Amino acid sequence: MAVVPEECLDSIERIIANKKRILQRKEDLFSYAYDASFGIHCPDLVLQPISTEEVVSIVRLANQFKIPLYPRGRGTSLSGGPLPVHGGIVLDFSLWNDKLIVDPDDSVAIVSPGVLTADINAKANEFGFMYPPDPSSAHVSTIGGNLAENSGGPRGLKYGVTKDYVIGLEVVTPEGEVIRTGGRTIKNVTGYDLTKLIVGSEGTLGIITEATLKLIPKPAATKTALILFDDLVDSGRAISRVLSSGILPSKMEIMDQASIIAVENYKPLGLPTDVEAILLLELDGHPYSIEDEMEKVKSVCLSVGGREVIIAKSDEEASDLWQARKLVSPAIVRIKPTKISEDATVPRSKIPDMFKRLKQIKEKYNIHLVVFGHAGDGNLHPNIIADQRDKEEMKRVELAVEEIFKASIELGGTLSGEHGIGNMKSPFIEMELGKEGLDMMKRIKRAWDPNNILNPGKVFPEPGQKLVLSNG
Ligand SMILES: Cc1cc2nc3c(=O)[nH]c(=O)nc-3n(C[C@H](O)[C@H](O)[C@H](O)COP(=O)(O)OP(=O)(O)OC[C@H]3O[C@@H](n4cnc5c(N)ncnc54)[C@H](O)[C@@H]3O)c2cc1C
């Protein structure tokens, strides 16, 4: 474990004048040992920078003393992203939220790394715009974290993910230089696209200190439907059929029976618990056209085995329906305390096959598996609910997780649609990228970060690293 020498600490105290932003007490450090996954790794020091100058000086110092740096937003990562697996310093950016400027003439927002994602959309709405990326954690996660993870959300189906809305970045490199990538223009093909390289690099290639985000006009109206299915596989077929019928919903989310029951036990909303799956679908656009499209959605879903299509009559009814989807995560952790949240993603046409594979895995390993997620873009969230104290159960869970990864790769999919690799999925990354693909990424990392200062132990597997869930 890395330690921070006294000499280094003295310099830090000169860089960060306000001592309240230098955290050294054990109880403070321990609260940074967690994220929303379940590894526990305590840092040696936590700093809360609020300017590019502070970040530059800290990064240079870390290179001088060879101390690992771990950027952190709000710690909602589901893949261990901000955890200080090699000790060292956590850089907590949650206080750095002073800049949230909307420029309607250029249709952009300029933001500091610690701004909450939902606040960007809310501010854009005031000007008649929207910032489409909407991870379910948008009210509690930072734009810095979203950029580093290239986060997505329900609206990803129609509007894409974080990377599709970033046109410029200010980045502090792992050796402490400041670079600006892209700019304010929608088109820009000057040189390599470093913006896209940094977005999704999980804090391993640079520290994002400012972002310029593209905004788009807010649609005039939305309409929501709840569609009931007696057969899970039919719901998968309905997703493909709707999308190939010329309609592109803004959201298309799925909940299986286990997640419906969990939500009803947690907060009764009147969802039917005797169905195998429900789809929640939102259309957006002109009020007349979405009226028309909803009729088409209804007939397509009924033709592939849908039991019933319930259309929300008001915005209130629609938000009640979406509440069901939002409650899945808190509801399922009441079943058992440990939630292993995966985001295996497959091509849309393979959703029915993935459902079949998940059903087989559930039975084979006798695990409590709940499936929900952004079904429209093939991004399922198979969640395993277990108890970390039960070693025998966790062994079965490890095998099941590995098999879920294999299933998604075999079906032409990916290990992660949005949660990132972190240190949770790194043992499996070669399975998807191949040896040469992985090696090219390692070479990029070495070129950017020769001292391996920034977020070491993430994305790339450490020698002999395996998925271990049983000793947390
Ligand atoms: C209930 C719940 C629902 C969720 N729903 C979704 C969802 O719908 N879609 C989705 O994509 N994710 C989802 N997530 C996962 C998580 O919220 C996202 O990955 C989010 O982007 C993390 O943001 P954060 O501010 O918490 O960052 P952290 O978890 O603190 O860090 C995430 C990564 O970003 C890096 N990082 C943070 N700030 C910076 C910076 N300024 N510069 C460089 N690197 C940085 C960290 O090193 C780390 O690798 C969910 C999580 C929870 C708990």
Side-chain angles (χ1 to χ4, degrees), residues 63-219:
N63 274 276
Q64 185 189 332
F65 287 93
K66 305 284 181 292
I67 298 171
L69 290 178
Y70 289 92
R72 180 180 175 105
R74 285 285 192 109
T76 65
S77 169
L78 291 164
S79 56
L83 296 182
V85 294
H86 289 182
I89 302 175
V90 164
L91 298 179
D92 168 11
F93 292 114
S94 62
L95 299 187
W96 189 356
N97 55 9
D98 56 330
K99 195 183 285 175
L100 170 45
I101 300 167
V102 169
D103 178 342
D105 293 334
D106 284 343
S107 317
V108 295
I110 296 144
V111 295
S112 308
V115 170
L116 295 183
T117 310
D119 291 348
I120 302 171
N121 188 45
K123 184 87 178 175
N125 287 175
E126 288 173 21
F127 293 83
F129 288 100
M130 78 167 169
Y131 173 64
D134 59 340
S136 307
S137 56
H139 286 90
V140 286
S141 64
T142 66
I143 186 66
N146 285 194
L147 289 160
E149 298 285 5
N150 191 13
S151 297
R155 284 203 289 241
L157 171 61
K158 181 168 182 177
Y159 293 104
V161 295
T162 302
K163 76 167 161 29
D164 301 308
Y165 293 88
V166 193
I167 56 174
L169 291 175
E170 181 189 82
V171 177
V172 176
T173 70
E175 292 190 282
E177 299 120 329
V178 182
I179 58 168
R180 282 201 163 262
T181 71
R184 267 181 180 240
T185 56
I186 299 299
K187 295 170 90 173
N188 180 335
V189 293
T190 305
Y192 294 151
D193 191 346
L194 297 184
T195 311
K196 292 277 196 294
L197 180 62
I198 295 292
V199 174
S201 64
E202 301 192 29
T204 63
L205 293 183
I207 296 174
I208 297 156
T209 48
E210 188 183 281
T212 305
L213 307 170
K214 184 172 78 176
L215 305 175
I216 61 168
K218 189 171 181 278

Side-chain angles (χ1 to χ4, degrees), residues 11-22 46-50 54 58 91:
S11 304
I12 287 171
E13 286 177 359
R14 282 192 293 275
I15 296 166
I16 298 192
N18 184 345
K19 303 285 167 294
K20 284 194 181 141
R21 294 192 283 112
I22 303 174
V46 175
L47 305 176
Q48 298 177 309
I50 52 168
E54 286 181 351
I58 295 163
L91 298 179

